[in-house]
Amino acid sequence: MRTKSEERRVLILEIAAQVFQETGYEKASMAEISSRVGGSKATLYNYFPSKEELFLAVMELKAQRHMLGIFEVLTHDAPLAEVLTQFAVAFMAVRLSPPLVAIHRMAEHEADRTEVGQLLYTNGIARGWKAVADFLSEAMARGDMPAADAQTAAWHLKALIEAEITEPRMLGVMRVAPPAEVLATTVQRGLAVWLKAYGPEQAR
């Protein structure tokens, strides 16, 4: 059961997310966020000592909500290609969703002026794809795929499943995420290329 303090923290994060999305990171102010929450800036700073920490908490909340369960499909209970297909389709559906697109656009816009991009990369992207690398390392140890640098293999997987569709979505060429069947087809094409380089012999 949530305490009032936890409920207040979640409320702050929800409102902060709205402010960040509306104004961008640089223009968003703790004063505006505290005003919308209702209360003093001192109370807000009791929860989050800086705007950077508040933004990081917003990113973590979004990631938990939208990525929850996606990395959990990385198990060795099915053939490697099957597991990676399930993971990749689920990952891309979230990656192209409005909340995640908004966060990435904001981070890229602010990257040269603030630490927002670094925060997103270090605490979100790199952490998530380290989990993929760990899974691939286990697959190599099990003999399910040839030995290779697991982290490099993970980054190559990310690049290939995003290759056809992420940039058009980020640049507004594609205003909304594609239908599920289109997304699955593009992901499978990228994964097929990855399997030729890193997959077991029968997948090559």
Side-chain angles (χ1 to χ4, degrees):
M1 186 174 182
R2 280 182 177 174
T3 66
K4 288 185 178 180
S5 177
E6 290 172 334
E7 290 175 353
R8 186 73 169 176
R9 184 178 186 276
V10 172
L11 175 63
I12 291 170
L13 291 174
E14 296 285 6
I15 291 174
Q18 294 173 7
V19 174
F20 284 131
Q21 188 165 342
E22 290 171 10
T23 67
Y25 175 83
E26 188 174 23
K27 292 182 180 179
S29 70
M30 298 293 269
E32 172 65 18
I33 293 168
S34 64
S35 174
R36 293 197 193 187
V37 170
S40 67
K41 281 200 295 182
T43 301
L44 179 59
Y45 279 108
N46 283 337
Y47 284 91
F48 302 100
S50 68
K51 187 168 72 169
E52 289 83 0
E53 291 191 38
L54 176 55
F55 181 75
L56 177 57
V58 167
M59 286 195 304
E60 289 176 342
L61 177 66
K62 294 291 185 183
Q64 288 171 3
R65 283 185 178 174
H66 295 280
M67 290 290 184
L68 184 64
I70 290 179
F71 290 94
E72 293 175 7
V73 308
L74 295 172
T75 69
H76 302 286
D77 299 332
L80 180 67
E82 182 179 324
V83 172
L84 289 179
T85 298
Q86 183 183 356
F87 162 76
V89 171
F91 171 81
M92 286 302 295
V94 173
R95 174 68 181 87
L96 301 178
S97 67
L100 271 292
V101 167
I103 286 177
H104 278 260
R105 284 174 176 163
M106 179 168 53
E108 290 179 6
H109 179 70
E110 304 287 348
D112 287 335
R113 295 182 296 231
T114 71
E115 295 182 354
V116 170
Q118 296 176 36
L119 290 171
L120 176 60
Y121 181 83
T122 302
N123 295 283
I125 298 170
R127 184 182 296 177
W129 285 86
K130 172 63 166 57
V132 178
D134 290 342
F135 168 76
L136 295 178
S137 181
E138 292 169 1
M140 293 173 198
R142 291 164 55 91
D144 294 338
M145 58 182 290
D149 183 283
Q151 188 63 68
T152 300
W155 288 130
H156 286 172
L157 175 63
K158 181 178 186 296
L160 286 165
I161 63 175
E162 292 190 5
E164 292 184 51
I165 210 161
T166 296
E167 199 163 72
R169 178 75 176 98
M170 292 299 295
L171 295 176
V173 177
M174 187 179 293
R175 296 292 184 179
V176 297
E181 60 273 16
V182 175
L183 179 61
T185 299
T186 59
V187 165
Q188 288 165 359
R189 282 198 290 260
L191 182 58
V193 175
W194 186 89
L195 287 169
K196 289 181 179 180
Y198 291 103
E201 190 64 34
Q202 62 268 29
R204 297 188 182 192

